[in-house]
Amino acid sequence: MYAFEIHRPTTVRQAVNLLAKNPEAKLLAGGHSLVPVMKMRLASPSALIDLSKVEGLAGVEVGSRSVTIGAMTRHRDVARSPELHQVMPALASVPDSIGDPHVRNRGTIGGSIANNDPNADYPAACLGLGATIITNKRKIPADEYFQGMFDTALEPDEIITKVSFPIAKKAGYEKFKHPASGFALVGVFVSKRSSEIRVAVTGAGANGVFRATVFEEALKKRFHPKSLDGVTLSTDEMNSDIHAGKDYRAHLVGVMARRALAKAVAG
Amino acid sequence: MSATGIGASVRRKEDFRFITGKGHYTDDISRPGQTYAYFLRSPHAHAKIKRIDKAAAEKMPGVLGVLDGAEMQADKIGNLICGWMIHSKDGSPMKMAPHPALAVGKVCYVGDPVVVVVAETLAQAKDAAEKVVVDYEELPAVVDCAKAKGATQIHEVASDNVIFDWHLGDKAKTDAAFASAKHITKLDIYNNRLAPNAIEPRAAIGEYDTGSESFTLWNTSQNPHVARLVIAAFVGMAPENKLRVIAPDVGGGFGSKIFIYNEEVVALWASKRVGRPVKWTAERSESFLNDAHGRDHATHAEMAFDADGKILGLRAHTVANLGAYMSTFSSSVPTYLYATLLSGQYAIPQIYCEVDAVYTNTAPVDAYRGAGRPEAAFVVERLMEVAARELGVDPADLRRRNFVKSFPHQTPVIMAYDTGDFDASLKKAMELADYKNFGKRKREAERRGKLRGIGFSAYIEACGIAPSQAVGSLGAGVGLWESAEVRVNPTGSVEVLTGSHAHGQGHETTFAQLVSERLGIPIESISIVHGDTDKVQFGMGTYGSRSGAVGMSAIVKALDKVEAKAKKVAAHMMEAAEGDIEFKDGTFTVAGTDKSAAWGDVALNAYIAHKFSGQELEPGLKEGAFYDPANFTFPAGCHICEVEVDPTTGETEIVNWSAVDDFGVVINPMIVEGQVHGGVAQGIGQAMIEHAIYDDNGQPVTGSFMDYAMPRAHNLPSFKVGMTMTKCPSNPLGMKGCGEAGAIAAPAAVINAITDAIGTENIAMPANAATVWAAIQKTQPRAAAE
């Protein structure tokens, strides 16, 4: 690890100012992805801006039509929110499947989606529910926010403050864990809200989280696992590595989608 | 049985220290004036070093030395060595290439140490290392052991990259047996490459004292005396009497800390160069690069049967990848620790095995938990299971038909089995596994869409390595006895100095249990001392499940001498004839009288020496012994694995694990069970998820726990552990050894179960979900989707 400065702002405005002044700085919002690469000297930010002291960035708020989660809400707190479990247990199950207790006690939703790891779980939930990412500057629909692996619509001086999820009556998340890291080798989030059907896939794609539109089309006539019979995903856009080839990933997307659907229609 | 004697599940004395953070590991030690070393390593698998420019690095803040291999050679520091000589079929010696601690002229694998930077702080050493410029000329890399022969030459001494082509057994007789066979089972198998991953990374502190002209090395070693011997006699760092090696608390080894590595040699040398103690602690990413890997073995094996399902012969051809350099005991693993166990638990009249060992541009490969014996058990037990399926015989029945039933039994591959009861362990394991109702469970699983399978592994291994004369005749560079010294203090408390070394095994408890049983004193009054060449005179260390059978036998010998001496003292105290003194439960009595003396009184009298003439009897109570075993020991048993495969994903769950082992006499059943659990966990890891992979350019792609899958609790079932017991006849306690059994038994049991479930034999380790799914696709093209 190289030497760096650390700042602990208490307001979003202070954090934004620090970010403007230190173009090489990184926001610290859990640190379970950032700190390991810093330790290996693969990242060398001049400063870390720790968001943990910023007021008003953490918490789960359940409204009548949406759930709003503060950017600095820890995975554990989302997973254990009784209010969230009442209205949308599928969303609560997403952070519950991340990493281990250490990670869930430190990692945050804002950190996860700002990093947009192609195997992370939260991007699937955001895209699979059509969430809105709210920053200090604007509101970004999930469909526009995720722009490929480790790439987002965020501007250099933009900070995520919260994420708003519309409440879907039917939703489910199913994840096939990577044998070593526990990240999503393939994760599929499905939801149905009035006529809007979404199937979002993480882990499998060669370019990060994406919507499986062939599945969404097939589910329009009936939102049920059976509707996916005979529907397969092209292997072209799949990632391939030592842990899973394109064909296996494409196949797993189908299996996870059916399992997620089974949960969604059962719940 | 006393509460702390042999056979009692005494809680581990050392655990309070370990789990409260009070252990003293190498990295916990700081020496006055300590500096830090950072190694600049090769980023290439195979390259010539054209130029090393250290000028800029030397000017960096805090830098005390930027040192390379040429300077090491100039200081006459020798190469690392492999200490077990193997000869090829034509009688030529193995082709051991020079293995400098810092590369000279070329690098042979990613991670090969090239330059060491010593600085006031680790960060300064790392900063300076970034300023070192090394010009490389890349060469083609050799990675796959099957393709190594005749590929780009790696070392001058081995023109075709073959280190030796060795064989064991009678080829002509074995071929004749095959010619008469009614059935031949053939199998191609691969023992995957594994990264050992002890919880404590390797570390070393080198310190040179100019006044006494002597070195001290603190390191994470399983055998500090052997490290001292090699570093003194072969590397030439210092005479043996000027080198002290201390291996304090060590956090796991699994074989990987047996070997003498580059970094500890460099830390010693650099400490003299810079005139300050030099500390190096591996980061986990360095452990993945440089700790000697295990296995990486490709084998074609065949087994011949007669019409009654009796085995007529076994033949195998193995290619063993030894990596870029020959690590300390690498040559012994795919030869005498492997082919000698190919008879398994069976009476096999003829066995012939050929082994080609090759260099590749990968990390050196050496002993890892089981070392050769898991490979042998995998060959034999996979062949048996596949043969049973091909012959349409119950796999238990085929094994029973072929078990060795009378002892001693001379196999055609050196080993003479001394005792065992293979029927008993098979029977007990089948009971534990509820084998007779497996069909019912399989049908029930089918209704849930799951494929259920069951697999056996009736393994045998050779432990307690070993009679020194025997291993000497097979090429070992050292004898494999063990030493012990029992020091009785005047108050009766006892220190036992042992040449064994504990790095997780619990010697401080089990060795003390032996002494408690023998002397009848509380376990708290007994301390076990190990791991310091200034305290323990010599020892061979701990590996190969040898410390019970060999290390404790040495303690027994020393205790015998202590008891004999103490009886003499007691005789003087009680004015009785020495022959009339009896010793039991910590009390000396005179036969036929009510006279008695407690252990503590006798110990005190041995030291105050008031009751006997010093001319007649030496004062004091301290005895030492060396124990050289008469034979290997042969732990054996039967493990049965039951799995459920989800055909939609290939995910495999182990739903039942029944382990029945015969370890001979057991000192502490709780610790032994723990050893079985740990061994099985590592064996399951090998069978299902672990794999150290290099890409075609020799770049490691499993360089962290993000890509190298270690077994975790959710990968493992609750084990059912049972035991049978036949006493080992060759050592005084009747012990066989338990540390590696699980890792030896498990892979074959897992793969036999998975292949039973999915109906194809064609599956490679690790049989992870992706591999199992792909295998199912080939056998059942229309595997049910949900």
Side-chain angles (χ1 to χ4, degrees):
Chain A
M1 192 177 273
Y2 296 101
F4 59 89
E5 286 179 16
I6 186 152
H7 302 283
R8 289 197 149 152
T10 53
T11 66
V12 174
R13 181 185 291 267
Q14 284 174 7
V16 171
N17 287 341
L18 283 163
L19 207 48
K21 262 190 267 173
N22 301 278
E24 299 295 309
K26 285 273 187 193
L27 299 174
L28 182 65
H32 274 82
S33 297
L34 177 61
V35 175
V37 292
M38 289 174 66
K39 281 166 75 177
M40 288 190 279
R41 293 193 158 199
L42 297 173
S44 51
S46 58
L48 290 186
I49 301 165
D50 177 9
L51 297 179
S52 64
K53 304 289 178 211
V54 177
E55 281 180 29
L57 281 189
V60 178
E61 264 177 56
V62 174
S64 57
R65 301 177 64 178
S66 68
V67 175
T68 304
I69 302 176
M72 285 300 288
T73 316
R74 311 279 180 201
H75 300 329
R76 176 186 182 278
D77 296 331
V78 179
R80 293 193 181 180
S81 161
E83 296 82 7
L84 181 57
H85 273 275
Q86 284 284 319
V87 297
M88 207 159 43
L91 180 56
S93 77
V94 173
D96 202 33
S97 74
I98 298 173
D100 54 27
H102 307 286
V103 171
R104 292 194 289 277
N105 281 329
R106 297 298 303 169
T108 64
I109 184 170
S112 172
I113 63 173
N115 190 42
N116 192 20
D117 187 298
N119 295 90
D121 299 277
Y122 262 131
C126 291
L127 202 55
L129 281 167
T132 303
I133 288 80
I134 300 161
T135 75
N136 59 318
K137 291 183 167 180
R138 57 187 168 141
K139 295 179 174 179
I140 314 172
D143 286 316
E144 294 166 25
Y145 174 85
F146 297 103
Q147 301 199 340
M149 57 170 72
F150 299 110
D151 198 6
T152 69
L154 287 175
E155 288 165 10
D157 58 347
E158 197 166 13
I159 295 176
I160 301 169
T161 53
K162 51 194 163 188
V163 184
S164 173
F165 294 90
I167 293 172
K169 281 270 182 312
K170 291 181 178 177
Y173 182 60
E174 191 71 24
K175 170 184 186 178
F176 191 89
K177 285 192 177 182
H178 185 293
S181 70
F183 271 78
L185 193 70
V186 171
V188 180
F189 197 102
V190 299
S191 74
K192 182 173 192 296
R193 191 166 50 91
S194 61
S195 64
E196 189 173 350
I197 287 167
R198 283 174 172 263
V199 179
V201 180
T202 188
N207 197 26
V209 65
F210 69 96
R211 286 175 69 177
T213 47
V214 281
F215 286 6
E216 291 178 356
E217 282 302 315
L219 291 168
K220 275 183 181 164
K221 51 181 195 293
R222 190 180 170 217
F223 190 74
H224 193 274
K226 280 203 175 1
S227 302
L228 296 184
D229 284 355
V231 185
T232 54
L233 216 57
S234 160
T235 57
D236 294 348
E237 309 292 314
M238 292 293 119
N239 186 20
S240 177
D241 58 26
I242 56 165
H243 302 289
K246 286 171 183 280
D247 55 344
Y248 185 51
R249 276 193 162 89
H251 169 76
L252 282 181
V253 174
V255 177
M256 294 303 120
R258 288 176 184 87
R259 290 183 182 177
L261 280 162
K263 279 185 182 171
V265 297
Chain B
M1 185 180 87
S2 79
T4 58
I6 291 172
S9 286
V10 177
R11 283 213 195 170
R12 288 170 32 122
K13 290 175 73 179
E14 48 273 78
D15 279 354
F16 181 79
R17 174 167 102 245
F18 292 149
I19 64 180
T20 56
K22 303 294 182 194
H24 281 277
Y25 298 89
T26 299
D27 192 58
D28 294 325
I29 294 163
S30 285
R31 300 296 302 162
Q34 177 174 290
T35 67
Y36 296 84
Y38 179 75
F39 286 86
L40 185 65
R41 299 172 184 278
S42 170
H44 304 297
H46 195 192
K48 280 185 193 162
I49 299 172
K50 309 277 282 181
R51 186 178 68 98
I52 300 176
D53 184 349
K54 306 186 294 188
E58 282 163 345
K59 294 192 195 96
M60 291 290 285
V63 170
L64 301 163
V66 183
L67 308 170
D68 63 27
E71 288 160 298
M72 218 170 173
Q73 282 196 332
D75 282 358
K76 301 203 164 29
I77 304 299
N79 292 325
L80 301 170
I81 55 133
C82 175
W84 195 303
M85 174 53 72
I86 297 293
H87 290 89
S88 286
K89 289 171 192 163
D90 65 5
S92 61
M94 66 187 189
K95 291 162 179 165
M96 183 166 68
H99 185 187
L102 292 172
V104 178
K106 73 181 296 188
V107 287
C108 294
Y109 69 106
V110 173
D112 207 349
V114 179
V115 168
V116 65
V117 181
V118 181
E120 297 285 353
T121 71
L122 182 58
Q124 287 173 331
K126 285 186 175 185
D127 289 345
E130 289 180 4
K131 304 291 181 192
V132 176
V133 180
V134 184
D135 283 347
Y136 292 102
E137 179 189 325
E138 278 189 75
L139 298 167
V142 183
V143 178
D144 183 349
C145 64
K147 295 177 190 156
K149 189 174 179 177
T152 307
Q153 187 173 344
I154 298 171
H155 294 294
E156 224 167 85
V157 295
S159 59
D160 55 358
N161 294 326
V162 175
I163 301 167
F164 55 76
D165 61 335
W166 172 91
H167 65 164
L168 185 66
D170 190 321
K171 184 175 194 309
K173 283 183 182 166
T174 306
D175 287 346
F178 273 79
S180 70
K182 181 80 180 160
H183 178 84
I184 297 175
T185 291
K186 300 179 179 182
L187 210 54
D188 283 297
I189 57 180
Y190 173 61
N191 253 278
N192 37 329
R193 178 182 275 254
L194 305 169
N197 282 320
I199 195 166
E200 179 206 19
R202 287 193 295 114
I205 305 170
E207 181 169 333
Y208 181 70
D209 184 285
T210 45
S212 62
E213 296 179 311
S214 65
F215 288 92
T216 304
L217 172 67
W218 288 262
N219 71 340
T220 48
S221 176
Q222 296 179 219
N223 45 354
H225 291 89
V226 177
R228 182 177 67 154
L229 176 64
V230 170
I231 294 170
F234 294 93
V235 177
M237 188 70 60
E240 222 173 339
N241 61 320
K242 296 285 188 185
L243 173 60
R244 175 183 183 185
V245 178
I246 303 169
D249 284 333
V250 175
F254 312 112
S256 72
K257 292 173 181 169
I258 299 172
F259 322 122
I260 289 81
Y261 284 96
N262 313 56
E263 293 87 355
E264 57 213 52
V265 169
V266 172
L268 282 169
W269 170 65
S271 73
K272 189 173 178 186
R273 273 283 191 140
V274 304
R276 306 255 300 267
V278 175
K279 177 190 266 188
W280 168 77
T281 303
E283 297 184 4
R284 184 60 65 180
S285 48
E286 289 182 292
S287 305
F288 275 106
L289 289 180
N290 282 71
D291 288 8
H293 288 169
R295 320 278 198 266
D296 205 344
H297 234 216
T299 297
H300 175 77
E302 302 183 355
M303 198 178 251
F305 292 87
D306 70 10
D308 300 325
K310 297 277 273 185
I311 307 167
L312 296 171
L314 184 155
R315 58 190 175 196
H317 181 267
T318 294
V319 180
N321 189 347
L322 296 194
Y325 302 98
M326 293 188 75
S327 175
T328 316
F329 291 109
S330 57
S331 54
S332 65
V333 177
T335 52
Y336 290 108
L337 298 179
Y338 161 66
T340 53
L341 273 307
L342 285 174
S343 197
Q345 297 188 351
Y346 313 107
I348 305 182
Q350 298 299 336
I351 296 173
Y352 179 67
C353 181
E354 293 174 288
V355 179
D356 299 338
V358 295
Y359 285 118
T360 60
N361 297 113
T362 61
V365 179
D366 207 323
Y368 167 68
R369 201 168 190 171
R373 291 153 289 160
E375 295 93 308
F378 195 68
V379 167
V380 175
E381 289 306 291
R382 281 290 291 136
L383 280 170
M384 288 303 279
E385 203 87 2
V386 174
R389 288 168 192 163
E390 289 174 353
L391 294 167
V393 181
D394 183 276
D397 187 41
L398 187 68
R399 286 180 169 85
R400 253 186 243 113
R401 271 186 228 181
N402 286 286
F403 276 155
V404 170
K405 293 191 179 75
S406 67
F407 297 91
H409 173 85
Q410 179 63 53
T411 73
V413 278
I414 298 177
M415 292 300 175
Y417 299 163
D418 50 7
T419 184
D421 187 344
F422 308 142
D423 262 330
S425 48
L426 177 75
K427 182 165 177 275
K428 195 163 177 181
M430 288 169 75
E431 285 165 10
L432 265 188
D434 188 23
Y435 184 69
K436 63 176 190 296
N437 288 314
F438 171 71
K440 220 183 279 175
R441 297 195 293 277
K442 188 178 174 70
R443 287 189 294 278
E444 186 276 327
E446 251 163 35
R447 288 195 288 276
R448 289 183 283 112
K450 298 287 172 66
L451 307 172
R452 199 152 171 135
I454 197 161
F456 288 75
S457 180
Y459 75 96
I460 190 164
E461 54 159 331
C463 292
I465 185 167
S468 299
Q469 258 190 335
V471 293
S473 74
L474 304 179
V478 287
L480 286 165
W481 43 264
E482 197 46 88
S483 77
E485 187 177 313
V486 174
R487 296 180 180 172
V488 181
N489 296 317
T491 53
S493 64
V494 171
E495 279 128 35
V496 177
L497 285 70
T498 169
S500 298
H501 184 279
H503 31 278
Q505 291 85 348
H507 293 174
E508 289 172 47
T509 306
T510 50
F511 288 14
Q513 282 180 254
L514 165 62
V515 179
S516 174
E517 169 102 11
R518 278 293 301 268
L519 302 183
I521 59 175
I523 202 161
E524 294 76 23
S525 305
I526 304 153
S527 296
I528 307 299
V529 178
H530 67 243
D532 183 343
T533 59
D534 263 13
K535 293 180 180 168
V536 179
Q537 186 249 331
F538 207 94
M540 296 311 301
T542 289
Y543 39 82
S545 309
R546 70 191 302 274
S547 295
V550 189
M552 289 179 83
S553 294
I555 298 174
V556 169
K557 267 187 91 172
L559 284 169
D560 289 343
K561 295 182 188 177
V562 164
E563 187 181 319
K565 171 81 180 283
K567 279 181 174 168
K568 289 191 170 120
V569 176
H572 283 284
M573 285 168 66
M574 296 187 279
E575 295 172 334
E578 190 188 327
D580 291 338
I581 303 294
E582 288 167 357
F583 179 55
K584 201 173 170 245
D585 298 333
T587 305
F588 295 84
T589 51
V590 180
T593 74
D594 59 357
K595 286 187 185 173
S596 72
W599 165 257
D601 288 339
V602 175
L604 185 64
N605 271 282
Y607 283 92
I608 60 176
H610 293 169
K611 296 280 165 71
F612 53 87
S613 144
Q615 277 65 51
E616 250 175 81
L617 186 63
E618 277 183 30
L621 196 51
K622 180 193 89 167
E623 299 288 347
F626 289 77
Y627 172 80
D628 201 350
N631 191 0
F632 291 87
T633 66
F634 298 96
C638 182
H639 288 214
I640 299 177
C641 168
E642 196 168 327
V643 298
E644 262 186 29
V645 176
D646 180 346
T648 57
T649 60
E651 269 179 300
T652 301
E653 187 192 352
I654 296 174
V655 290
N656 202 342
W657 193 281
S658 309
V660 175
D661 301 287
D662 177 357
F663 297 136
V665 172
V666 163
I667 304 294
N668 184 320
M670 178 193 71
I671 288 178
V672 168
E673 265 196 44
Q675 286 273 26
V676 173
H677 289 193
V680 172
Q682 281 181 308
I684 290 173
Q686 167 168 21
M688 296 180 68
I689 53 176
E690 291 189 51
H691 198 186
I693 301 172
Y694 289 86
D695 71 11
D696 292 342
N697 300 316
Q699 291 293 329
V701 288
T702 47
S704 79
F705 290 125
M706 293 295 280
D707 286 301
Y708 188 88
M710 287 290 279
R712 303 175 190 188
H714 72 82
N715 297 111
L716 306 169
S718 259
F719 306 112
K720 293 180 201 163
V721 178
M723 302 221 180
T724 57
M725 206 274 275
T726 59
K727 215 171 159 179
C728 176
S730 70
N731 63 59
L733 291 166
M735 298 176 72
K736 296 185 182 181
C738 68
E740 295 158 296
I744 292 165
V750 172
I751 300 300
N752 284 340
I754 292 176
T755 52
D756 181 46
I758 65 176
T760 173
E761 303 300 343
N762 190 15
I763 194 158
M765 292 194 290
N768 56 31
T771 306
V772 172
W773 179 79
I776 293 172
Q777 300 318 298
K778 283 184 196 148
T779 49
Q780 305 176 347
R782 278 167 303 184
E786 279 179 13

